Amino acid sequence: MINKVTTLTEAVKLVREGDTLALGGMTLYRRPVAFVRELIRQGTGDLTLLAFTASFASDLLVGAGLVSRVRSCYFGMEAFGLAPMFTKLATAGEVKVIEETEASIAFGLRATLAGVGFMPGQGWLETDLLKVRPDVRLVDDPYSDRRYVAFPAIKPDVAVIHARLADPYGNAVLGGNLAVDWELTMSSDRVIITAERVVDKLEERADIVGLRVTAVVEAPGGAKPTSCYPDYPLDSAEILRYVETCAGGGFAEYLTEFTNNSD
Amino acid sequence: MPLNYTMPELMVVAASREICDGDVVFVGMRLPLLAFQLAKETHAPNAVGLFESGVLRASPAPAPLFTMCDLPNLYQAIACTEMQDVMAFLQAGHVTLGFIGGAQIDRYGNLNTSYIGDAANPTTRLPGSGGAGDIAAHAGRLLIVMAHQRRRFVERVDYITSPGFGEGGNWRERVGLRGGGPSAVITTLGILRFQEESKEMYLVSYHPGVTVEEIKANTGWDLLVADDVCETPPPTAEELSILRRHDPQRFWTK
């Protein structure tokens, strides 16, 4: 097995302009925030952001102007309200949104994992999703008279997953709230693991297998202010401070402070 | 002596009473987190909660929750599966009750959480479906928790994120939606249900201090009212005490 340990600076260079970038974790949990900080510093833009449920880290990327398209089923701050920069820029049409639901993201990734172009599902029927996603077609069930939605395969270019523990080969322990992280590592061209700790040998079984991993970066506290079970909880005061700062027109100042932060 | 409680506390209690013992509940986020905790500790000890993070739990979380991914929600969870697995429960028809919220609702319980105004040129872009559209399609019963305002209770929603009863009647059967559709709407003013045949929403109870007229005035269509409309039963002392243990800072229930 190959030692894949590198620095955050080098790992971020694996993301190229125009890539579909998937962020692991969900909403305000185990998001690769340290990676996002370095990505904003390097300024790699025109990204399609794939986030199963997008929140704080995604909002920073959108506000920093690096995201052209958002592919997500939810973009908000859960208990803490709307995601300020996404709401502003998506309402103004400055960021294009590729609408999804939880099931369509699950099915789209599953299609890639099955090596097929789509996965049929029962969701979306009788909603307005098919109007805003004219690219999505219906298919007839060859075994019955039913019709399904043919969810197109989703294939990210790069996935970044924050883990509790990783070994130098990219095997990683996530510790729960798995969301779609396994599917992201299996479907993306390049996979970056940032981890609270990189250890020589994992004592626990891995949630992510290193075969698919391109780079491993040790980033202690790398999910903060989002949570990382069981190491640290969500810093809800910081999330509130972000929302309130943006409400007062202070996103630019927040971003400067965020990118200057050495964590 | 009447108990002191807040309107969110009344809503959480009403929502928790909709959870039956043995329900498999797609809990989701915000107030239902608290309603599930309360139901588990009162009348529904055998309910199981599912979260799109993949977490399945059958015991109340040991400490207050702000989001579904908070650490206490993982502590002693039955399993930490993947989102795919939770979707499998839902789509195979094993979720008996799902919670969702909404920015707009119509008389047949169709919900919008995506766009205010025209989707192509919206007044406000909202967070989107999350799992709501999937839950509305597949859950056995759908429980809706939302603010009751005229701009939210509208004749026609701007966008259907989550189908309710469509155009009413046997619409869900006709279009092939397997889940049972909305069973109740718990609002800041009262509790509403859906007529057996027409599937039109009607008012069953008004919260203490609220009048039927006030609720009608805050609804964007001519709202039906049950013949036996009554006051929403207030929380009991036991319910309030459990609820406050799960929300000591009154984050949810101020």
Side-chain angles (χ1 to χ4, degrees):
Chain A
M1 286 190 291
I2 308 159
N3 185 323
K4 296 165 183 169
V5 176
T6 185
T7 62
L8 210 46
T9 312
E10 287 306 310
V12 165
K13 290 178 184 161
L14 291 166
V15 184
R16 300 167 198 150
E17 295 266 333
D19 270 354
T20 294
L21 169 69
L23 298 182
M26 71 174 277
T27 330
L28 294 164
Y29 177 76
R30 208 167 39 70
R31 295 334 280 259
V33 177
F35 186 92
V36 164
R37 176 180 290 116
E38 179 57 27
L39 182 61
I40 293 172
R41 282 179 188 143
Q42 295 194 18
T44 313
D46 189 28
L47 301 171
T48 295
L49 181 64
L50 176 71
F52 160 45
T53 52
S55 195
F56 173 75
S58 297
D59 206 51
L60 288 168
L61 279 175
V62 167
L66 301 181
V67 177
S68 302
R69 288 158 302 274
V70 168
R71 187 164 194 169
S72 183
C73 67
Y74 172 87
F75 207 134
M77 309 299 263
E78 224 185 300
F80 310 99
L82 297 174
M85 299 314 287
F86 168 77
T87 304
K88 184 178 167 193
L89 295 171
T91 299
E94 289 173 37
V95 172
K96 186 173 158 28
V97 182
I98 305 169
E99 291 282 350
E100 301 282 354
T101 67
E102 288 178 355
S104 69
I105 290 182
F107 277 76
L109 291 169
R110 188 53 81 175
T112 300
L113 267 53
V116 298
F118 70 91
M119 194 63 76
Q122 303 168 59
W124 287 33
L125 294 169
E126 305 304 328
T127 72
D128 284 327
L129 272 154
L130 290 164
K131 291 182 196 159
V132 297
R133 285 289 306 276
D135 59 312
V136 176
R137 314 283 171 79
L138 301 179
V139 285
D140 293 321
D141 184 339
Y143 305 109
S144 77
D145 58 359
R146 301 189 62 198
R147 296 195 91 189
Y148 304 121
V149 177
F151 295 113
I154 299 174
K155 184 154 182 38
D157 296 305
V158 194
V160 190
I161 316 279
H162 188 72
R164 287 187 57 215
L165 293 171
D167 69 17
Y169 317 107
N171 301 302
V173 175
L174 301 182
N177 283 334
L178 302 176
V180 290
D181 288 357
W182 166 263
E183 285 79 5
L184 292 179
T185 60
M186 291 294 286
S187 60
S188 303
D189 280 344
R190 285 150 270 152
V191 177
I192 299 157
I193 300 289
T194 63
E196 291 295 313
R197 277 195 303 135
V198 176
V199 295
D200 290 339
K201 190 171 166 34
L202 292 175
E203 300 294 329
E204 301 166 59
R205 286 194 206 282
D207 296 304
I208 300 294
V209 285
L211 285 172
R212 294 283 316 135
V213 174
T214 319
V216 177
V217 177
E218 187 168 72
K224 287 180 181 177
T226 73
S227 61
C228 185
Y229 181 87
D231 299 317
Y232 44 87
L234 170 67
D235 184 350
S236 46
E238 182 59 25
I239 301 297
L240 277 173
R241 188 175 78 86
Y242 173 68
V243 171
E244 282 160 13
T245 303
C246 290
F251 174 77
E253 290 78 12
Y254 190 97
L255 190 69
T256 304
E257 184 192 325
F258 175 79
T259 47
N260 288 340
N261 191 327
S262 60
D263 283 345
Chain B
M1 204 184 82
L3 294 163
N4 283 317
Y5 56 85
T6 64
M7 187 271 296
E9 284 178 328
L10 179 67
M11 287 174 76
V12 172
V13 166
S16 90
R17 288 171 180 169
E18 296 289 327
I19 299 173
C20 301
D21 199 20
D23 261 337
V24 178
V25 187
F26 205 111
V27 182
M29 57 183 188
R30 306 178 67 99
L31 282 184
L33 286 170
L34 211 49
F36 177 70
Q37 302 270 65
L38 176 58
K40 285 292 300 177
E41 291 204 34
T42 52
H43 60 278
N46 298 302
V48 173
L50 268 61
F51 302 83
E52 43 265 81
S53 56
V55 169
L56 267 73
R57 68 173 307 123
S59 57
L65 296 177
F66 302 100
T67 81
M68 71 178 91
C69 289
D70 283 350
L71 278 45
N73 213 29
L74 276 75
Y75 179 73
Q76 291 184 347
I78 303 173
C80 288
T81 67
E82 292 187 30
M83 193 266 271
Q84 301 263 9
D85 303 313
V86 173
M87 283 295 133
F89 266 92
L90 187 64
Q91 294 174 109
H94 304 317
V95 169
T96 59
L97 175 66
F99 277 101
I100 61 179
Q104 283 183 336
I105 191 167
D106 70 16
R107 72 177 74 202
Y108 295 116
N110 302 302
L111 285 154
N112 174 17
T113 52
S114 299
Y115 300 92
I116 298 299
D118 179 6
N121 187 19
T123 316
T124 307
R125 164 71 220 199
L126 299 170
S129 163
D134 309 309
I135 295 168
H138 300 292
R141 303 176 342 264
L142 193 62
L143 196 55
I144 300 156
V145 181
M146 62 186 284
H148 203 138
Q149 297 162 328
R150 205 178 170 88
R151 66 187 174 91
R152 294 175 182 273
F153 279 65
V154 293
E155 182 68 47
R156 184 176 285 272
V157 295
D158 293 338
Y159 177 100
I160 297 180
T161 313
S162 309
F165 292 110
E167 298 147 13
N170 67 350
W171 180 86
R172 286 184 73 95
E173 261 174 58
R174 268 197 341 261
V175 301
L177 286 172
R178 290 181 162 181
S183 113
V185 188
I186 293 164
T187 79
T188 43
L189 300 178
I191 299 177
L192 306 102
R193 295 191 189 279
F194 295 84
Q195 285 191 329
E196 189 70 33
E197 291 291 319
S198 72
K199 302 298 183 190
E200 183 168 342
M201 194 190 297
Y202 69 101
L203 181 70
V204 295
S205 74
Y206 45 85
H207 297 336
V210 180
T211 65
V212 171
E213 288 65 37
E214 202 176 334
I215 293 174
K216 285 176 77 90
N218 279 284
T219 304
W221 67 87
D222 190 12
L223 178 66
L224 300 174
V225 178
D227 294 339
D228 57 351
V229 66
C230 61
E231 191 173 86
T232 306
T236 65
E238 188 205 7
E239 285 168 329
L240 280 180
S241 125
I242 294 168
L243 197 52
R244 288 170 187 175
R245 181 154 47 74
H246 286 291
D247 188 22
Q249 301 167 9
R250 299 293 188 94
F251 178 83
W252 295 109
T253 54
K254 222 180 278 175

